[in-house]
Amino acid sequence: MKKKRMLLIYNPKAGKGKIKNSLSDIIEIFVQAGFEVTVYSTGKHGDATQLVADRERGCYDLVVCCGGDGTLNEVVTGMMACEEILPIGYIPAGSTNDFAQSVGIPANSKKAAHAIVEGKCTAYDVGLFNESRFVYIAAFGLFTEVSYGTDQNLKNLLGHTAYILEGAKSLSSVKSYKVRVETGQEVIEEKVIYGMITNTTSVGGYKKLTDNTVRLDDGEFEVTLIRVPQNPVELNNIMVSLVSGRLNAECIYSMKASHVRIVAEDVISWTLDGEYGGQHKEVNICNESKKLLLVGTNK
């Protein structure tokens, strides 16, 4: 019987680097399930994308990545650049693992490996951001620079607290952005302090920042914009609304859309899946419905 072939890519620096301690157990689980496993370790940003995009056609049956949401983003980006779209398995090993929480992938690495070999494959939406891809979030403004601006060692040491600490330091210098947002159903012209286009039930480790109607395979994003608060009371209402999960404050726009065009007065720094996504004055974001094939989820 011909063995199935797996490309296993892991990021040794993700999270607290603990994935290295369980890597041999993970590989053993895959071998026992009948896979011939080829293992690669990433050394720098972009390695995972290149490994997946440059793989020989027909050489593998499944690609598995071990790392954080940024590592998953790289693997998905590489896969979407290929004609041959393979299923992807994900073993979360990052600081927040938002997407893994959203799709029900076990946090324990061995359990996640078992879920992959037991093999339910589900199709999820993926985002096209100009020429780039994102798995679950494209965002700008307040707090977004925290995720890619916080030192990896600090992320490893403090986890979610790192984001909160860095975000708190940023509150004294909140920047606003004048934007025109077009969704096909409506046009919004506003000065905002934050914007996110998401396909997730968890953002920054918090599960209340998107509403309860989120589906990851419906061909639509959740779009959230926060306009500039005029006074401390409005700022407080925004925070209460976000923490409670009820996006009904007067300063918050919340809608669904399959395509979003955002034109800014000045260049904006974006984050894609928690990593730096470049500076742009105009972005076109499209939902590529059910293009991501993921193995090992329970939602």
Side-chain angles (χ1 to χ4, degrees):
M1 182 178 177
K2 184 179 178 182
K3 283 193 173 184
K4 296 170 286 185
R5 292 164 298 180
M6 175 190 295
L7 173 60
L8 174 61
I9 300 171
Y10 77 98
N11 179 357
K13 295 182 179 179
K16 295 180 173 64
K18 289 183 177 179
I19 192 66
K20 291 179 287 187
N21 299 329
S22 55
L23 189 61
S24 60
D25 292 328
I26 291 170
I27 294 172
E28 180 64 19
I29 290 168
F30 292 145
V31 170
Q32 290 296 322
F35 282 96
E36 181 181 289
V37 184
T38 301
V39 183
Y40 283 97
S41 169
T42 62
K44 62 182 184 302
H45 179 74
D47 278 357
T49 296
Q50 187 172 356
L51 283 167
V52 175
D54 292 349
R55 76 187 190 278
E56 185 179 344
R57 183 179 178 88
C59 194
Y60 299 104
D61 302 291
L62 176 66
V63 175
V64 174
C65 65
C66 304
D69 292 327
T71 307
L72 177 64
N73 174 284
E74 288 195 23
V75 169
V76 171
T77 296
M79 189 66 72
M80 296 301 110
C82 301
E83 291 184 6
E84 181 190 34
I85 303 296
L86 298 180
I88 294 171
Y90 180 34
I91 298 177
S95 301
T96 55
N97 305 310
D98 283 316
F99 188 70
Q101 292 186 51
S102 295
V103 298
I105 294 174
N108 178 277
S109 59
K110 295 178 188 177
K111 289 182 180 179
H114 279 296
I116 289 169
V117 301
E118 287 160 10
K120 177 186 176 184
C121 185
T122 307
Y124 296 100
D125 301 340
V126 67
L128 177 63
F129 178 96
N130 287 349
E131 300 301 318
S132 302
R133 293 293 193 317
F134 65 95
V135 178
Y136 73 97
I137 184 170
F140 68 90
L142 185 66
F143 293 114
T144 57
E145 292 187 3
V146 173
S147 60
Y148 57 80
T150 304
D151 180 80
Q152 183 65 53
N153 291 326
L154 183 59
K155 291 182 185 180
N156 293 346
L157 179 65
L158 300 177
H160 295 155
T161 309
Y163 296 94
I164 296 170
L165 290 175
E166 290 294 314
K169 290 194 299 185
S170 302
L171 282 176
S172 61
S173 57
V174 174
K175 185 177 180 180
S176 64
Y177 308 84
K178 187 174 182 180
V179 295
R180 175 183 173 92
V181 181
E182 303 170 0
T183 68
Q185 289 76 40
E186 55 188 305
V187 175
I188 297 170
E189 293 192 63
E190 189 67 87
K191 289 187 72 173
V192 302
I193 60 172
Y194 179 71
M196 67 177 182
I197 294 87
T198 60
N199 194 45
T200 182
T201 61
S202 176
V203 177
Y206 297 96
K207 296 190 178 217
K208 292 184 178 180
L209 295 185
T210 56
D211 64 37
N212 296 324
T213 65
V214 173
R215 287 185 54 191
L216 309 187
D217 62 352
D218 62 357
E220 290 189 310
F221 297 119
E222 282 64 48
V223 182
T224 304
L225 302 168
I226 302 177
R227 69 171 175 82
V228 178
Q230 301 302 308
N231 52 61
V233 173
E234 284 193 352
L235 178 60
N236 182 69
N237 289 341
I238 290 170
M239 297 304 176
V240 170
S241 181
L242 291 174
V243 171
S244 68
R246 294 188 294 271
L247 303 182
N248 54 6
E250 290 184 3
C251 291
I252 299 178
Y253 297 94
S254 181
M255 67 208 83
K256 292 179 179 287
S258 59
H259 176 262
V260 184
R261 178 174 178 258
I262 299 177
V263 181
E265 189 174 77
D266 301 301
V267 293
I268 293 177
S269 294
W270 284 80
T271 176
L272 304 179
D273 296 335
E275 302 294 331
Y276 182 60
Q279 292 186 315
H280 309 272
K281 284 192 71 171
E282 179 177 341
V283 297
N284 282 282
I285 303 172
C286 299
N287 186 297
E288 297 185 303
S289 182
K290 298 184 178 181
K291 194 169 181 180
L292 171 59
L293 305 178
L294 208 62
V295 179
T297 68
N298 65 11
K299 292 184 182 179

